[in-house]
Structures are given as structure tokens and as C-alpha cells.
Amino acid sequence: MTDSQQGSASSKPDLGRFGSFGRGVTSQQAKEIEALGYGAVWVGGSPPAELDWVEPILAATTTLQVATGIVNIWTAAAGPVAESFHRIDQAYPGRFLLGIGVGHPEAHTEYRKPYDALVEYLDQLDEHGVPANRRVVAALGPRVLKLSAQRAAGAHPYLTTPEHTAQARELMGPSAFLAPEHKVILAYPDKEDADKARAVGRKALDIYLNLANYLNSWKRLGFTDEDVARPGSDRLVDAVVAYGTTDSIAARLREHLDAGADHVPVQVLTRSENLVPALAELAKALGL
């Protein structure tokens, strides 16, 4: 395996300890998130291969990194994605991280042999000169986690727990980049608000409770069929959605770092206009 195909400790991306994850941010929000001390913004969904929305965010900031979480290999061809990457990276060197993934079989009729398709896509990114240390792979299971360490900078797991982070670090080795997303709710800090917070968490989780890759991932972590059946047990919600005081939320997020994560993209479950104030409140507890 060549150096271009595998990251190393010296080339591991540095996005700081925490970032913000969401469906998108404005340039102004990005400036404010950077000022709060977060190292990156992760943009979720399945954006098209033309990633021209990245440049205004990078232009409005100075050190903040932008990552995709994730570009879907079924809906965004590798060639055009690579063209976008090179244009962005030339203008803003080292500030764009390309996250890719295979999506869900339930959502794509052409979804077939996802592991082989992912390998082929990584091959195509190699052919188009996208460096391994500036790409990450959405990974949950052991096989793709290992692949992410071999063919990319590392992994961007979604809807997992610190226990999964520890297992991923063991599988991937110390030099791979590991950035597990975690959802948080800041609106209900009191213990008696737990049911309200769980209701918000269940709404966010609902779509994933019908997707086999997440169900299988949770079962590998020890959750039962009853836990992962709609609407999701309290145990499951509490494991993948942090709520309560900012200090308790921050402590939960740090568990990922303690388990071996390099960076934790934080998805605040709130309206867009409340995102920056929520991140500001949390930043204090995180020590940013």
C-alpha cells in the first residue's frame, strides 16, 4: 500500500476536539462558530458532487475546517467530487475534509454490494488524486472501519456511543482519524425534563429506526430488538442523545475523546436560529 493510499499519524487531520454537525450553516454562523473555538463544521445530508457551497463558508472564516458528513457514493460520482475537492483545496489548503459513505439500502434502489462499491469509489478518488489524509469514510461495522483506516484518514461514525468509539479505535489502530458524531439537547437541563428531552431525541432518531445498518450497529453494541424497535427505548435514546445540564452533556461528549476519538462533531437538536447560542453555551462547559 502506498503512502498516498493510507494516512499516518503525521498526516492525521487536526480539526480540534469538537466541531458542529448539521444540515448546513450560513457563512455568518460559521464565523461565530469559529470564534467560539470549534474546529470544524460538518455538513450532513447527501450533497451533490458540485460542492460549491463549501467555499463561502471557508471564505468567511480563517481557520475553521469544513467536512462533508457525508457525500453519498451512489448520488455523487467520484470524478466531479474530486474536481470540487481540488478546486476547494487549492483555494483553502488543508481546510476541507471530504467525508464519503454508502448511504442506506432502503433509500437507493441501485444499492448493491456496498463494500465493493466503496472500494471502487476510493480507487477512483485515488485515480483523481484526492489524498487519503483529506478524506474520511462513514463507518459503523468492523470491516468498513478497517477499510477507513487503510484507504482514508479514518472514520466518521454516526449515531454511536463511546463504547463503539473504543471498539473502533482498537480496530483502526492509533494513527487513524476517528470522529464520531453525537447528538445533544440543551433545552431541558433539569432531571424532571428527561421525558421532554427523550421526545425530541426520539423524533430525531425515528428515521434511523428503520435502517438496517444502524439497527445492526446498535445490536452489536448490545442493544436488544426491543431497544431498537420504534419508538426506541429510553436506554437507546439516552445512549446516543446527550441532554441535561451543559456540564453533563460536555462530560458525555468527552467520553468519546477518552475512548479514543480525535474529534467529536456535535449535532445540536435545535432550530437553525438557535444553533450558535446553544453552541456558545456548550462551549463554556467544553472548555473551548
Side-chain angles (χ1 to χ4, degrees):
M1 184 172 296
T2 66
D3 291 340
S4 66
Q5 289 178 305
Q6 185 171 20
S8 67
S10 62
S11 61
K12 183 188 290 190
D14 183 3
L15 277 66
R17 294 178 300 160
F18 298 101
S20 172
F21 185 105
R23 285 284 173 175
V25 295
T26 66
S27 296
Q28 180 59 36
Q29 285 176 319
K31 288 176 65 175
E32 294 171 358
I33 291 169
E34 178 182 60
L36 290 171
Y38 293 93
V41 291
W42 293 73
V43 178
S46 297
E50 174 48 72
L51 300 172
D52 53 4
W53 52 268
V54 172
E55 283 128 322
I57 299 173
L58 293 174
T61 54
T62 56
T63 61
L64 191 76
Q65 298 199 37
V66 176
T68 52
I70 45 84
V71 168
N72 192 311
I73 69 169
W74 302 114
T75 58
V81 168
E83 290 179 11
S84 290
F85 172 86
H86 287 302
R87 184 188 68 245
I88 296 165
D89 191 59
Q90 183 174 3
Y92 305 96
R95 292 183 58 200
F96 176 58
L97 188 65
L98 176 64
I100 67 168
V102 297
H104 316 297
E106 296 86 353
H108 302 283
T109 56
E110 69 271 37
Y111 190 101
R112 63 191 186 284
K113 296 183 180 178
Y115 184 87
D116 293 342
L118 184 56
V119 170
E120 181 180 345
Y121 198 93
L122 289 164
D123 289 342
Q124 293 172 6
L125 291 180
D126 282 344
E127 292 169 5
H128 287 89
V130 176
N133 68 343
R134 296 310 301 175
R135 65 196 193 205
V136 293
V137 178
L140 293 173
R143 196 178 184 200
V144 180
L145 285 167
K146 291 178 181 178
L147 178 70
S148 74
Q150 295 165 350
R151 297 294 307 278
H156 170 47
Y158 190 80
L159 273 176
T160 60
T161 65
E163 291 76 17
H164 181 276
T165 297
Q167 294 172 14
R169 174 55 69 201
E170 182 69 22
L171 284 165
M172 296 167 63
S175 65
F177 178 72
L178 182 55
E181 172 269 357
H182 204 101
K183 292 175 172 53
V184 307
I185 302 169
L186 278 76
Y188 304 107
D190 299 321
K191 290 183 179 179
E192 55 266 30
D193 289 333
D195 288 342
K196 295 178 182 178
R198 286 173 178 146
V200 174
R202 283 191 171 92
K203 185 176 180 180
L205 292 183
D206 185 68
I207 187 175
Y208 302 101
L209 292 169
N210 198 38
L211 298 175
N213 55 343
Y214 290 103
L215 299 179
N216 292 335
S217 175
W218 290 327
K219 289 178 183 179
R220 283 193 297 266
L221 289 168
F223 292 98
T224 66
D225 288 338
E226 291 73 21
D227 285 322
V228 303
R230 278 192 167 122
S233 70
D234 287 355
R235 178 183 174 224
L236 177 65
V237 175
D238 292 353
V240 298
V241 181
Y243 58 87
T245 65
T246 53
D247 286 341
S248 66
I249 292 171
R252 180 61 169 168
L253 296 175
R254 289 193 193 98
E255 287 182 28
H256 282 285
L257 299 178
D258 293 341
D262 297 291
H263 172 84
V264 181
V266 181
Q267 184 171 4
V268 182
L269 299 181
T270 190
R271 293 179 179 177
S272 176
E273 61 267 27
N274 298 328
L275 175 63
V276 172
L279 288 172
E281 186 178 353
L282 185 57
K284 299 175 183 177
L286 292 172
L288 301 182

